[in-house]
Amino acid sequence: AHLENKGVTILDQAGLAQKGGAVTSHIHIAPTPDHINAVRIPAGRADLLIGCDMVVAGSYDSLAKLDVGVANAVVNAHPAPTMDFTLNPDTPFPVKDTLDHIREAVGKDACHMIEASEIATTLMGDAIATNLFMLGFAFQKGFIPLTFEALMRAIELNGVAVESNKKAFAWGRAMAHDPETVLTEVSRLSGPSGFVAPTDDLEEMISRRMTFLEDYQDHKYAVHYQNIVRETQKEEKKKAGQSEQLTIAIAKSLFKLMAYKDEYEVARLYTQTGFMEKVDRMMEGDYKIKFNLAPPLLAKRDSDTGELQKKEYGPWMMKAFGTLAKFKGLRGTALDVFGYSAERKDERLLISEFEKTIEDIISGLTAENYPVAVELAELPMKIRGYGHVKEKAIKSYRSERDLLLSNFHSPTPHAKAAE
């Protein structure tokens, strides 16, 4: 705007961004500085909302600024985690409700929802390209009162990733003009993902997890998983009728514990799932991959916290991963050098503990303690993270499990009321 001798003011508001707070920028652009009377945009006066974060875009403060019937909105439909997830990882993310709220406030025809993060990352190899991608989209739609030349010169004067930013801007323009062509290119670069959307169908759920466990370990391991789930299914039908809630919970939780991500699995995921093929499609030129790892047998511990410290490893790790993945059959045996670490021992112990819990549930299941049984079966899903984060989650899990087992075997009137 300055390059075009226009009046412009900018007010950046950072709501403790490092803690997950909202970040907004009020931008006035006018023919001359005399046309601008305040830095902050008052309610009902904004002509355009560029929402790089849907939660911030859908907030009352953001939507209240818009001039209804005049304003347009360009919103990134990709859900970004909020601060609530650091406090409660099970917090539901109301994607549909948030987007519907924005559409209702702005008007369907004036609201442009784009999966900007996914598209920009696939096209450019970096999520930071999302911002310029969205700006390019808004510009092509005629929402930005500046010339193309001025915007390109501003990117040049900024002096950071100039060509990359220009390219992201151009892709945003292309998305506004010819979305089908852009999405076709995104599909080509993404390649076959092999991703199957999860369903609540029990048979599909069991089948998909068995296939995974065969790749993870072997057929015997997968069949062991299937047998436990089927035994649960049989007992649930006897004692809970048509409900499948308990079997579904055990199918998910047992799989989670059995497929713990150890060194062999990290190696397999990098070398046997098309990772490098996807990188090759996304990246151009002479690129180099680096890994930040904290191998339990090699990493040093922080002298203050006692936590393992990550170290950078070069692209040669891909060859090491390829070799390591072939030795997954050693997992849990006497020859498993990684299996002697405290973390790996605890992960295997969790499996046997949960199998014992399942036996307790199956043998003692009644109509009265069924709700507690389901809660017990779902409990392992709360174990998340790695290293010290996982250690803390496991302690919490075991404490809560013992309490629930007590209620399961001797339900009190208070416990029944709580259910």
Side-chain angles (χ1 to χ4, degrees):
H2 283 302
L3 291 171
E4 295 187 344
N5 295 315
K6 292 183 177 179
V8 58
T9 61
I10 302 173
L11 174 64
D12 294 324
Q13 292 182 307
L16 294 176
Q18 71 276 20
K19 300 297 183 183
V23 180
T24 59
S25 293
H26 296 238
I27 302 175
H28 280 278
I29 300 176
T32 68
D34 294 338
H35 287 83
I36 302 176
N37 299 315
V39 177
R40 184 187 298 271
I41 297 177
R45 295 299 300 276
D47 300 302
L48 173 66
L49 167 66
I50 299 181
C52 296
D53 183 305
M54 74 160 76
V55 175
V56 179
S59 68
Y60 172 80
D61 288 342
S62 295
L63 296 178
K65 301 295 183 186
L66 301 181
D67 187 349
V68 179
V70 175
N72 290 280
V74 177
V75 180
N76 182 9
H78 176 78
T82 64
M83 180 178 65
D84 292 338
F85 284 90
T86 65
L87 304 175
N88 179 14
D90 296 312
T91 300
F93 200 114
V95 175
K96 184 178 183 301
D97 290 345
T98 301
L99 296 180
D100 287 346
H101 180 54
I102 297 172
R103 288 191 189 96
E104 183 180 344
V106 181
K108 184 177 179 180
D109 293 337
C111 193
H112 305 270
M113 304 288 187
I114 326 164
E115 288 286 349
S117 292
E118 180 179 348
I119 295 172
T121 301
T122 302
L123 293 171
M124 302 295 297
D126 193 337
I128 197 66
T130 302
N131 300 326
L132 266 294
F133 178 88
M134 293 186 67
L135 183 65
F137 184 98
F139 174 81
Q140 188 65 24
K141 287 290 184 180
F143 303 151
I144 309 292
L146 297 168
T147 65
F148 173 78
E149 292 75 17
L151 287 166
M152 292 302 99
R153 182 57 181 152
I155 291 175
E156 292 169 359
L157 290 173
N158 190 51
V160 178
V162 174
E163 293 307 314
S164 178
N165 281 328
K166 285 185 176 181
K167 189 176 180 181
F169 185 88
W171 275 118
R173 294 185 68 188
M175 185 66 189
H177 175 70
D178 187 2
E180 287 189 13
T181 298
V182 175
L183 294 177
T184 297
E185 179 64 7
V186 169
S187 179
R188 184 188 72 81
L189 291 171
S190 298
S193 66
F195 174 75
V196 179
T199 71
D200 290 329
D201 180 75
L202 180 59
E203 294 306 313
E204 188 275 337
M205 189 181 296
I206 295 172
S207 175
R208 182 153 50 89
R209 284 165 170 76
M210 282 192 67
T211 299
F212 188 100
L213 290 173
E214 280 200 46
D215 292 336
Y216 175 87
Q217 184 74 12
D218 53 33
H219 180 69
K220 181 181 178 181
Y221 197 66
V223 170
H224 178 70
Y225 164 81
Q226 181 189 42
N227 290 340
I228 293 175
V229 176
R230 292 302 186 195
E231 182 64 23
T232 302
Q233 185 181 30
K234 184 175 69 175
E235 290 301 314
E236 185 175 29
K237 283 184 177 180
K238 286 181 184 177
K239 301 173 181 178
Q242 296 302 310
S243 177
E244 294 182 330
Q245 193 176 358
L246 177 62
T247 306
I248 288 174
I250 285 178
K252 291 180 178 179
S253 294
L254 180 60
F255 169 78
K256 176 183 175 66
L257 296 179
M258 290 181 69
Y260 61 90
K261 192 177 288 185
D262 59 4
E263 290 78 6
Y264 304 107
E265 179 63 356
V266 170
R268 184 187 75 84
L269 291 174
Y270 269 122
T271 59
Q272 299 178 11
T273 59
F275 170 75
M276 282 306 303
E277 289 83 353
K278 185 174 182 180
V279 173
D280 285 336
R281 286 191 295 268
M282 292 176 62
M283 306 301 291
E284 297 176 354
D286 185 21
Y287 66 86
K288 182 182 290 186
I289 293 180
K290 296 179 181 179
F291 301 88
N292 290 289
L293 307 169
L297 300 181
L298 301 176
K300 296 180 180 179
R301 291 189 177 274
D302 186 284
S303 57
D304 295 325
T305 65
E307 298 167 8
L308 293 175
Q309 295 178 303
K310 288 188 176 183
K311 182 181 176 182
E312 187 178 277
Y313 294 84
W316 61 270
M317 280 301 300
M318 284 302 298
K319 290 184 178 180
F321 286 150
T323 301
L324 183 59
K326 297 175 183 177
F327 290 93
K328 65 180 182 179
L330 298 179
R331 179 186 284 120
T333 70
L335 297 177
D336 179 7
V337 294
F338 303 106
Y340 291 99
S341 69
E343 186 173 352
R344 298 291 169 258
K345 288 180 180 179
D346 213 15
E347 285 167 333
R348 293 197 299 273
L349 181 59
L350 283 171
I351 299 172
S352 59
E353 286 179 348
F354 188 59
E355 289 181 2
K356 177 62 171 61
T357 298
I358 295 172
E359 291 175 4
D360 288 349
I361 290 173
I362 290 175
S363 62
L365 187 64
T366 65
E368 288 73 24
N369 63 19
Y370 181 81
V372 181
V374 173
E375 196 172 350
L376 262 171
E378 293 175 340
L379 199 56
M381 299 304 292
K382 293 184 177 181
I383 302 174
R384 294 182 174 92
Y386 301 95
H388 65 284
V389 175
K390 190 170 187 176
E391 286 177 16
K392 184 178 179 181
I394 291 173
K395 288 180 181 178
S396 176
Y397 157 76
R398 284 178 170 144
S399 176
E400 193 170 348
R401 178 201 60 195
D402 292 345
L403 178 60
L404 285 173
L405 277 171
S406 176
N407 289 339
F408 176 79
H409 291 297
S410 303
T412 62
H414 175 73
K416 290 181 181 179
E419 291 163 10

